[in-house]
Amino acid sequence: MQQQLIERDKKVNWHPYTQMKTACPIPITKAEGAYIYDADGRRYIDAVSSWWVTLHGHAHPYIAQKVSEQLYLLEQVIFAGFTHPNAIELSERLLNLLPINQQKVFYTDNGSTAIEVALKICIQYHYNLGKPKNKILAFKNAYHGDTFGAMSVSGRGAWTSPFAGQLFEVIFIDAPTSENIEMTRQLLNEHSEEAVCMIYEPLIQGAGGMLMHKADDLSLLMRFCKSKNVLLIQDEVFVGFGRTGKLFAVDHLTEVPDIMCFSKGLTGGTLPLGITTCTQEIFEAFYADDKSKALFHGHSFTASPLACAAALASLDLLLEESTQQKIKNIVCLHQAFIKKIKNHPKLKEVRQMGTVLALECKTINGTSYFSDMHQTLYAYFLEKGILLRPLGNIIYLVPPYCVSEEDLNEIYKVILQALELL
Ligand SMILES: *Cc1c(COP(=O)(O)O)cnc(C)c1O
């Protein structure tokens, strides 16, 4: 069965971020909790939450129940000219958990589109006020998605080079440190007149290699931007919903952004959904008798009632005391593991923020995604029954919150064994 699926897949499917000539995707036919199973019944611990989306475990019965009930009640309705209770309740509940300045919710269906909407809102905000601007600030090594706007504000590299001519110009600044903050302040001073907004992944730059910066440094940078009227887009697509140890990354900061983006863990990883939230002030720049001031953006599956049902169910689970305890346990176990390995001769740096742990291995051929280290480690972990997808020479863990202590210890053990290979 497994072999048949592999062959059929090879004939028809083109996989993401995959060189199809050398790849051999593994067919998965069922999943439960922290485990995924192939067609032959082989089990893998999903240590990356299936690309950072799964929060409470796979095929969670509570979420499945809620989505299934919704499926029989209202599966889909156009969200222009119509609305539905799930979208209303989800917006109300989410806004209640976010900083008080977040007042309106715009729905899409993935992280990249949540970013596109955020960028379009910022650009049109200035346009609607009669003061169009055209410079966007973003962090070096950022990742905000794969559509053109999101790609433009992401770090440039081998992935983006075929499109270099089509990407709009962005001013890239260093992620904040106490050392570079003065330089960044000067740069901001130079560009603040034309600056539309600054977009950033707060605290953890995920796809860039789980790079981390301090909450205090980010708060300071945000304060500079505010003093210069540069709008802030906080991309919590990855870090939202508990990954940093708090509900949202913004809960670590002393400043609040103007716009926030969510996806990935939003539905507990069950269905695709994206959300962009904004302040009342921004919303009001679009609120007018003049129809041309509206935000002309939408997707067929905007605010899918099914995806909203999954998000509501995931929120129920996330806010349970037992889930908060599970998150704390993961943080503690990571910390204990760090104590054990922080002076490991094969490691250049160990980083942790909440439930996210990253081990940067020493390398001679740089930190390229295309380095062999990624392939060697990936294959080794799979052979040991663990799904880990190193980013080049960076081994990282983003476990679902249901992961057991036993499984985490197994993952740590296999990582130590893997380091011996390098
Ligand atoms: C994954 C990711 C995105 C893009 O989300 P998709 O749903 O994959 O389009 C945007 N921003 C961050 C920080 C991400 O990690």
Side-chain angles (χ1 to χ4, degrees), residues 51-52 109-113 115 143-146 201 204 206-207 235-239 263-264:
W51 253 352
W52 322 344
D109 45 26
N110 64 71
S112 301
T113 51
I115 297 296
Y143 178 76
H144 297 289
D146 285 344
E201 294 162 272
I204 311 175
D235 176 357
E236 295 223 16
V237 167
F238 166 48
V239 293
S263 187
K264 294 205 164 103

Side-chain angles (χ1 to χ4, degrees), residues 33-157:
Y35 307 123
I36 55 175
Y37 297 88
D38 76 10
D40 290 339
R42 197 154 183 242
R43 191 184 88 174
Y44 300 90
I45 305 171
D46 185 354
V48 296
S49 294
S50 281
W51 253 352
W52 322 344
V53 300
T54 311
L55 291 192
H56 311 293
H58 289 278
H60 196 286
Y62 179 72
I63 301 178
Q65 172 77 29
K66 293 290 185 179
V67 172
S68 152
E69 285 167 11
Q70 186 60 42
L71 202 41
Y72 287 94
L73 196 65
L74 170 69
E75 91 301 352
Q76 176 64 5
V77 66
I78 175 173
F79 204 63
F82 292 84
T83 189
H84 56 81
N86 282 2
I88 297 167
E89 190 186 338
L90 180 56
S91 299
E92 288 172 349
R93 287 183 62 187
L94 187 63
L95 290 176
N96 260 325
L97 298 170
L98 294 178
I100 188 83
N101 76 335
Q102 298 301 300
Q103 293 285 320
K104 290 289 183 292
V105 174
F106 193 96
Y107 284 95
T108 56
D109 45 26
N110 64 71
S112 301
T113 51
I115 297 296
E116 297 291 335
V117 167
L119 293 169
K120 284 173 81 170
I121 288 177
C122 285
I123 294 167
Q124 194 179 336
Y125 167 81
H126 294 294
Y127 177 89
N128 281 2
L129 294 182
K131 289 178 276 181
K133 302 182 179 190
N134 60 17
K135 290 244 162 82
I136 292 176
L137 298 152
F139 287 3
K140 289 175 187 162
N141 300 307
Y143 178 76
H144 297 289
D146 285 344
T147 50
F148 272 88
M151 207 171 20
S152 293
V153 292
S154 297
R156 309 292 168 86

Side-chain angles (χ1 to χ4, degrees), residues 1-15 20 23-30 37-41:
M1 165 93 141
Q2 187 76 354
Q3 202 50 44
Q4 266 182 18
L5 289 172
I6 289 171
E7 277 153 27
R8 284 167 58 200
D9 183 75
K10 236 185 170 54
K11 285 210 176 96
V12 291
N13 287 333
W14 190 347
H15 290 260
M20 294 303 294
C24 183
I26 302 167
I28 295 297
T29 49
K30 69 170 190 176
Y37 297 88
D38 76 10
D40 290 339

Side-chain angles (χ1 to χ4, degrees), residues 234-280:
Q234 180 150 319
D235 176 357
E236 295 223 16
V237 167
F238 166 48
V239 293
F241 303 99
R243 296 289 185 201
T244 66
K246 297 197 182 194
L247 211 42
F248 298 105
V250 76
D251 299 328
H252 296 269
L253 305 172
T254 58
E255 301 296 314
V256 293
D258 300 286
I259 293 191
M260 299 181 76
C261 301
F262 305 93
S263 187
K264 294 205 164 103
L266 172 58
T267 63
T270 308
L271 285 165
L273 186 66
I275 276 182
T276 307
T277 65
C278 73
T279 61
Q280 188 66 23

